[in-house]
Amino acid sequence: DIVMTQSPDSLSVSLGEGATINCKSSQSVLYGSNNKKYLAWYQQKPGQPPKLLIYWASTRESGVPDRFSGSGSGTDFTLTISSLQAEDVAVYYCHQYYSTPWTFGQGTKVEIK
Amino acid sequence: QVQLVESGGGVVQPGRSLRLSCAASGCTFSDCAIHWVRQAPGKGLDWVAVMSYDGDHTFYADSVKGRFTISRDTSKNILYLQMNSLRPEDTAVYYCARAVKGETVGRQFDYWGQGTLVTVSS
């Protein structure tokens, strides 16, 4: 199974400042035949289901503000919020869909400082 | 627009069974790979199971293999999760989620239901 490890577990950021969340996979999620990284990021607010932010490691889902961006290689990935807004307070998860069992990171809680 | 609505959750004693349903609208199973994902109270997301588009293959998390069975009724567009031999650690909100079409069981999740709570307790 591919283990997804996020860091940090929680993050406290001032409004307007940047936030960076890391995600490391225990094996590569880069599929050689199409050169795509099978990695997504989700945002989950209390009492709500997760919301897709980023897929293919760096493609923003339609309607997601451009302050959210994703990057990374085959095993190390980053979600960046360029300028934190109050509505960005949430838990963020990375997710690999490269192979079953699909797995998620443990989550990173983002709060306002 | 895809809509997913879960039902069937409740309180059940350890060792008993429960069947969850996920009613899908806006897509059919030949186009939609719908997964079950759960979330224990205050915890992270935990993938549970999926059936392939053609219905020929099922995949399960090790933690539920042999106890849970995923199935579907294509005439009604409903996905089921039969949960047997339930344990306290199965207590969670169970979501169904649509994976964008691709590969055997799809790609990233773009639509989620609101979830149904299963509590396993004596």
Side-chain angles (χ1 to χ4, degrees):
Chain A
D1 299 3
I2 299 177
V3 177
M4 308 298 288
T5 304
Q6 289 182 229
S7 61
D9 289 335
S10 64
L11 197 52
S12 187
V13 179
S14 299
L15 287 172
E17 295 297 304
T20 299
I21 300 170
N22 300 300
C23 174
K24 187 175 184 69
S25 59
S26 61
Q27 63 189 74
S28 177
V29 298
L30 171 64
Y31 193 45
S33 65
N34 60 10
N35 201 37
K36 287 193 178 292
K37 298 152 197 169
Y38 283 55
L39 189 284
W41 289 96
Y42 302 88
Q43 174 193 65
Q44 188 178 32
K45 297 180 179 180
Q48 297 183 20
K51 173 189 172 185
L52 176 65
L53 296 177
I54 302 283
Y55 58 97
W56 297 139
S58 60
T59 301
R60 201 178 302 115
E61 173 73 338
S62 176
V64 172
D66 60 8
R67 62 180 180 274
F68 291 94
S69 64
S71 64
S73 64
T75 59
D76 291 276
F77 302 93
T78 300
L79 174 70
T80 301
I81 309 172
S82 61
S83 174
L84 192 77
Q85 304 299 303
E87 61 265 33
D88 301 335
V89 169
V91 179
Y92 293 84
Y93 296 94
C94 60
H95 161 225
Q96 68 81 17
Y97 47 99
Y98 179 86
S99 66
T100 56
W102 288 11
T103 46
F104 295 88
Q106 80 275 19
T108 295
K109 187 174 186 178
V110 175
E111 300 172 315
I112 305 293
K113 186 186 289 184
Chain B
Q1 183 77 349
V2 174
Q3 277 198 312
L4 304 171
V5 179
E6 304 93 340
S7 61
V11 180
V12 62
Q13 293 179 328
R16 305 298 291 264
S17 299
L18 206 59
R19 189 179 79 162
L20 305 183
S21 301
C22 172
S25 59
C27 68
T28 62
F29 291 127
S30 60
D31 294 316
C32 278
I34 299 178
H35 298 234
W36 288 101
V37 177
R38 67 185 180 182
Q39 187 169 35
K43 302 297 184 183
L45 300 169
D46 184 30
W47 178 83
V48 175
V50 65
M51 177 178 281
S52 59
Y53 296 104
D54 59 11
D56 288 346
H57 304 281
T58 55
F59 302 89
Y60 298 94
D62 286 345
S63 58
V64 308
K65 205 173 291 182
R67 300 187 299 123
F68 289 12
T69 302
I70 191 170
S71 63
R72 68 192 190 191
D73 184 330
T74 53
S75 66
K76 296 179 180 177
N77 228 33
I78 298 177
L79 184 75
Y80 299 103
L81 186 68
Q82 178 66 42
M83 305 186 295
N84 298 333
S85 302
L86 282 161
R87 305 166 179 168
E89 55 264 36
D90 295 318
T91 294
V93 173
Y94 284 73
Y95 295 103
C96 54
R98 198 276 291 262
V100 170
K101 189 167 187 178
E103 286 77 32
T104 303
V105 292
R107 298 169 173 170
Q108 68 276 8
F109 296 125
D110 58 349
Y111 289 96
W112 296 70
Q114 289 299 309
T116 187
L117 176 62
V118 173
T119 303
V120 184
S121 173
S122 54

